[in-house]
């Protein structure tokens, strides 16, 4: 049935049977023209046969499941490059249900501004995401390390079928099913997946590849919450810190100064390993200038790059805890082309994983039994600051966080715990006085 703007009808669809014990279909058996179907050896060719195409005898067909499909097709716009009409189809068990789906879609279109002139594209989510990330990198909006992280996110998404078909054919359900499957992963992973898909749809909508952005509106795709609990900040206890310090004091380790500098300053391991012995150590003014960090280029080679954020650039006072560490590091430095305070014996930059593996061995030897990693040194410094009564705004500056929300989100629970302990001292004191 043809109606202005849309068509509706019933069509025969055929799905190949994997196995069938039926004898050859009577129509095929009587057919003398085998040039098209190649004696029924090629099912793709069979589907081109006019007699086979029109056949609706499901009970006798031994090669296909034959079903009726009810479909309403709506003209939603036109390709601004070719002028050809762009249509969207809605299928259902009955014509009425197909039309109902179409009318609901038309209503959504009307609310969003009516018919749009679209560009037809065969580009997939995977292709568009790669275009976006490459462009961000070329424009300097994304650093190499972040680019590599985004490429890992894309590789994860690309494993799913919906990411490799034209974006205009991807359904809301396909994306929502994917995000539901991802709930077994961390909130951090889900956030990366959701952010990339959302950005792709915003881009595709802007480029007029889509009539509707699935990530906008009242029925938009929402980011689900992980089934996993967010990991708590794990730091060394004061007892474990003392075990580590005692071990490093009594055992000669080439990683001693690196570990202690992280522990006493809260610097990220990459920031410590990128310190320049000429530019970043101001012994006269007793100051460490944090201006760079180790990162990765697009080929995942270790390089020196800018700090993680602008706020990451900061000055750290050389105090009585760090003065001897800096002096010892300067006295034992290896001259190298990068002029970094800490490097390998072959004068090459350290790799984060090398220090992390060494730190795990040292902790084990020191009698620290819980799982550890070098980032725990930063958390340990922050925890000692909170225990000592350092306020969150000051801690934010010490840690080089871009905003205080990051500090609160990371260390708020620890801060509140110690704040409650201090408040309890007042309560206990008043109870004693009233007794």
């Amino acid at each position: 049935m043809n109606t202005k703007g849309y068509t509706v009808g019933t069509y025969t669809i055929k799905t190949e049977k994997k196995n069938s014990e039926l004898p050859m279909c009577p129509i095929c058996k009587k057919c003398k023209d085998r040039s098209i179907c190649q004696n029924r050896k090629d099912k793709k060719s069979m589907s081109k046969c006019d007699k086979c195409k029109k056949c609706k005898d499901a009970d006798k067909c031994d090669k296909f499941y034959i079903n009726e499909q009810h479909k309403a097709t709506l003209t939603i716009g036109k390709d601004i490059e070719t002028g050809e009409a762009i249509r969207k189809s809605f299928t259902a068990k009955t014509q009425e249900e197909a039309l109902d789906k179409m009318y609901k879609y038309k209503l959504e279109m009307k609310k969003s501004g009516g018919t749009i002139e679209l560009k037809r594209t065969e580009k997939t989510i995977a292709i568009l995401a790669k275009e976006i990330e490459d462009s961000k990198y070329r424009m300097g909006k994304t650093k190499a390390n972040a680019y590599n992280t985004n490429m890992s996110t894309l590789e994860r998404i690309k494993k799913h079928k919906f990411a490799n078909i034209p974006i205009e054919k991807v359904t809301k359900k396909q994306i929502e099913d994917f995000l539901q499957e991802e709930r077994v992963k961390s909130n951090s992973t889900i956030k990366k997946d959701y952010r990339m898909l959302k950005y792709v749809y915003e881009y595709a909508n802007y480029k007029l590849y889509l009539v509707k952005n699935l990530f906008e509106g009242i029925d938009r795709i929402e980011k689900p919450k992980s089934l996993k609990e967010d990991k708590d900040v794990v730091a060394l206890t004061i007892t474990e810190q003392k075990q580590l310090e005692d071990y490093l004091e009594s055992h000669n380790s080439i990683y001693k100064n690196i570990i202690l500098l992280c522990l006493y300053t809260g610097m990220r391991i990459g920031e410590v390993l990128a310190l320049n012995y000429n530019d970043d150590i101001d012994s006269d003014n007793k100051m460490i200038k944090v201006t760079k960090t180790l990162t990765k280029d697009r080929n995942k080679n270790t390089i020196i790059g800018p700090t993680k954020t602008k706020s990451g650039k900061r000055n750290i006072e050389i105090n009585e805890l760090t003065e001897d560490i800096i002096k010892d590091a300067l006295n034992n430095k290896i001259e190298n082309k990068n002029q970094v305070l800490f490097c390998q014996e072959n004068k090459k930059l350290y790799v984060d994983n090398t220090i992390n593996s060494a730190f795990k061995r040292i902790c084990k030897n020191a009698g620290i039994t819980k799982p550890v990693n070098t980032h725990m040194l930063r958390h340990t410094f922050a925890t000692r600051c909170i225990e000592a009564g350092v306020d969150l705004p000051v801690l934010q500056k010490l840690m080089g966080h871009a905003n205080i929300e990051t500090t609160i989100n990371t260390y708020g629970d620890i801060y509140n715990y110690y704040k409650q302990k201090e408040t309890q001292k007042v309560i206990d004191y008043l109870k004693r006085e009233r007794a």
Side-chain angles (χ1 to χ4, degrees), residues 254-435:
I254 59 174
Y255 307 108
K256 174 183 175 180
N257 289 331
I258 297 172
I259 292 169
L260 290 178
L261 208 52
C262 289
L263 184 63
Y264 295 149
T265 66
M267 291 170 65
R268 298 174 178 90
I269 185 66
E271 294 170 343
V272 170
L273 297 176
L275 286 175
N276 184 298
Y277 49 71
N278 286 325
D279 300 333
D280 298 334
I281 308 299
D282 185 351
S283 298
D284 293 335
N285 294 303
K286 293 192 173 183
M287 202 69 69
I288 300 170
K289 298 174 183 177
V290 182
T291 59
K292 298 174 286 295
T293 188
L294 290 194
T295 185
K296 303 279 187 183
D297 63 16
R298 285 182 68 178
N299 297 318
K300 299 186 178 179
N301 297 314
T302 301
I303 59 169
I304 297 174
T307 52
K308 192 175 180 182
T309 64
K310 287 183 180 179
S311 300
K313 289 186 177 182
R314 61 202 187 278
N315 291 334
I316 297 174
E317 181 185 353
I318 298 175
N319 53 36
E320 56 190 284
L321 286 174
T322 55
E323 189 170 14
D324 288 343
I325 297 169
I326 293 295
K327 283 181 181 178
D328 189 55
L330 287 170
N331 290 335
N332 292 285
K333 72 179 186 295
I334 300 172
E335 298 284 345
N336 60 91
K337 66 176 183 179
N338 292 299
Q339 298 183 346
V340 289
L341 185 59
F342 303 105
C343 69
Q344 299 182 63
E345 288 185 358
N346 61 8
K347 302 184 179 184
K348 291 184 179 181
L349 295 170
Y350 271 118
V351 180
D352 289 358
N353 289 344
T354 301
I355 311 297
N356 198 45
S357 297
F359 179 62
K360 288 180 178 182
R361 288 196 301 273
I362 289 168
C363 284
K364 184 179 179 181
N365 293 336
I368 299 168
T369 56
K370 69 185 180 188
V372 296
N373 57 70
T374 50
H375 200 66
M376 282 175 64
L377 294 166
R378 180 169 162 84
H379 291 326
T380 301
F381 171 78
T383 302
R384 296 295 94 84
C385 286
I386 294 168
E387 290 170 355
V390 174
D391 289 333
L392 281 175
V394 177
L395 184 60
Q396 176 199 344
K397 299 296 182 185
L398 290 172
M399 304 303 287
H401 288 156
N403 51 63
I404 199 163
E405 283 77 18
T406 302
T407 316
I408 292 169
N409 290 338
T410 308
Y411 302 110
D413 288 344
I414 300 171
Y415 181 77
N416 287 334
Y417 170 72
Y418 284 101
K419 187 177 176 183
Q420 286 164 9
K421 280 186 72 176
E422 293 303 306
T423 305
Q424 189 62 41
K425 288 179 182 178
V426 178
I427 296 169
D428 292 342
Y429 168 75
L430 290 172
K431 282 181 178 179
R432 286 195 302 270
E433 290 298 310
R434 288 172 182 172

Side-chain angles (χ1 to χ4, degrees), residues 81-270:
E81 294 172 350
T82 65
E84 293 181 4
I86 296 176
R87 298 179 177 87
K88 185 173 179 66
S89 296
F90 307 86
T91 58
K93 294 179 180 178
T94 66
Q95 282 192 14
E96 289 74 16
E97 287 178 9
L99 282 169
D100 187 50
K101 285 184 180 180
M102 186 197 73
Y103 288 135
K104 284 180 180 177
Y105 186 81
K106 280 185 74 174
L107 183 61
E108 288 178 6
M109 279 187 63
K110 191 174 181 180
K111 287 179 182 177
S112 64
T115 304
I116 301 171
E117 292 187 338
L118 300 170
K119 294 179 183 176
R120 186 176 294 281
T121 183
E122 291 296 311
K123 289 184 177 181
T124 65
I125 288 173
I127 291 170
L128 290 170
K130 185 70 163 56
E131 284 181 8
I132 292 167
E133 296 306 327
D134 286 347
S135 174
K136 282 161 61 181
Y137 182 78
R138 284 195 304 271
M139 297 294 289
K141 294 179 180 179
T142 303
K143 298 173 188 174
N145 216 24
Y147 177 85
N148 289 335
T149 299
N150 293 340
M151 285 299 99
S152 296
T153 300
L154 179 55
E155 286 303 314
R156 187 164 56 248
I157 293 172
K158 275 170 63 177
K159 292 176 182 177
H160 297 263
K161 182 181 177 181
F162 75 89
N164 303 291
I165 61 176
I167 189 169
E168 64 178 300
K169 294 181 180 179
V170 177
T171 66
K172 181 183 177 187
K173 186 177 184 302
Q174 284 176 307
I175 296 177
E176 287 180 331
D177 286 349
F178 163 71
L179 290 172
Q180 282 298 313
E181 289 175 15
E182 292 293 273
R183 291 187 68 199
V184 296
K185 298 176 182 174
S186 68
N187 278 313
S188 174
T189 298
I190 294 169
K191 182 180 177 181
K192 292 185 181 81
D193 295 343
Y194 182 85
R195 183 173 54 195
M196 177 167 282
L197 290 169
K198 187 172 184 287
Y199 202 2
V200 166
Y201 269 80
E202 286 172 355
Y203 177 75
N205 196 231
Y206 169 76
K207 297 288 282 186
L208 299 180
Y209 295 147
L210 299 169
V211 71
K212 179 178 171 59
N213 180 357
L214 299 178
F215 289 80
E216 283 183 350
I218 195 167
D219 62 338
R220 64 184 175 273
I221 295 172
E222 300 281 2
K223 177 167 68 69
K225 186 172 174 58
S226 172
L227 297 172
K228 287 184 175 181
E229 291 289 332
D230 285 334
K231 289 183 179 178
D232 294 329
V233 170
V234 180
L236 297 176
T237 65
I238 192 68
T239 302
E240 289 167 337
Q241 179 173 333
K242 184 75 167 53
Q243 286 176 256
L244 175 62
E245 291 167 334
D246 289 346
Y247 181 85
L248 290 172
E249 189 62 36
S250 59
H251 293 76
N252 188 25
S253 171
I254 59 174
Y255 307 108
K256 174 183 175 180
N257 289 331
I258 297 172
I259 292 169
L260 290 178
L261 208 52
C262 289
L263 184 63
Y264 295 149
T265 66
M267 291 170 65
R268 298 174 178 90
I269 185 66

